[in-house]
Amino acid sequence: MAEALATKPAMLFAVQVAVGRAVCMAESYAATPHAGTSLVFSDVGYDHALIDALGERADGIEVLTTAPSPEVGFAEAYRAQFGDEPKNFAANMYDAVLLLAYGLELSGGEGGRPLADALVRAVDGRGETVGWNAEGIGAALSALRRGETPDLNGATGPLTYDPLVYTDLTESHYGLFRVEGGELVSRAVIATRESNTRGAGEAASQARA
């Protein structure tokens, strides 16, 4: 931590899944001169375990983690259903189940290679746009049964994958939070489509070209 802070970065990203090690990182950060450097944890800080362990010392720490698309209403629906903010990876897990359902519909319930091939066909669809909610799911399944190719959207946004290996979404969202008074306060939702750095979206565009 001392070596990293000595370079005086604007932000220092700490990617750690073990809360105990994240606490050690945060304590080292606090004990080392760090003027002008923000400490940003990945998802380990979002579930409050790190905040609870640090207490008041957590204030000022930032967290960057995956987030649902702010444009589709998933977060609002989650709050209405569960009375709480969406849990870590909630939107991603929701979309994983959606994709499995769509893939199984196209594969006739078969797993293995037929399911893998069906998932590719599903996410390559560019027909009518369908959403993540019950109405959208019903429309998507009906369209797939008719042999149509709807444009699938999920809680994370468009379910469009890179056409090379089909493992990365071409567009994702991340939430940036800051700990204030022991609570996570949202600072921004960042869409990768707005980034100037090369990512899956650019790779997909180049592959199509």
Side-chain angles (χ1 to χ4, degrees), residues 30-114:
T32 307
H34 56 264
T37 299
S38 299
L39 180 62
V40 184
F41 278 98
S42 59
D43 52 279
V44 70
Y46 186 76
D47 63 4
H48 268 270
L50 176 61
I51 299 172
D52 293 342
L54 289 171
E56 295 180 355
R57 296 172 297 170
D59 279 6
I61 288 176
E62 295 181 283
V63 178
L64 183 67
T65 187
T66 58
S69 169
E71 302 165 358
V72 301
F74 178 83
E76 292 79 3
Y78 190 101
R79 294 187 198 104
Q81 179 70 28
F82 301 106
D84 197 4
E85 293 298 316
K87 300 300 183 184
N88 239 342
F89 309 115
N92 304 76
M93 289 187 285
Y94 185 94
D95 285 353
V97 175
L98 275 189
L99 286 170
L100 181 60
Y102 296 148
L104 288 171
E105 178 64 37
L106 285 176
S107 73
E110 292 189 53
R113 173 53 62 181

Side-chain angles (χ1 to χ4, degrees), residues 130-200:
V130 293
W132 63 272
N133 58 16
E135 181 181 357
I137 295 169
L141 289 173
S142 295
L144 292 173
R145 289 169 190 148
R146 293 193 299 268
E148 299 173 5
T149 55
D151 191 351
L152 304 175
N153 282 253
T156 58
L159 296 178
T160 306
Y161 284 78
D162 76 274
L164 300 178
V165 291
Y166 287 91
T167 56
D168 294 317
L169 285 167
T170 58
E171 178 183 321
S172 299
H173 293 84
Y174 292 86
L176 179 63
F177 301 84
R178 182 181 175 87
V179 182
E180 297 178 5
E183 296 296 330
L184 285 165
V185 177
S186 177
R187 296 188 62 195
V189 176
I190 304 163
T192 57
R193 69 173 179 270
E194 299 167 356
S195 172
N196 291 323
T197 59
R198 179 174 180 179

Side-chain angles (χ1 to χ4, degrees), residues 1 5 12 24-34 37-39 61:
M1 183 66 73
L5 290 172
L12 181 59
C24 180
M25 285 180 167
E27 291 177 339
S28 297
Y29 167 80
T32 307
H34 56 264
T37 299
S38 299
L39 180 62
I61 288 176

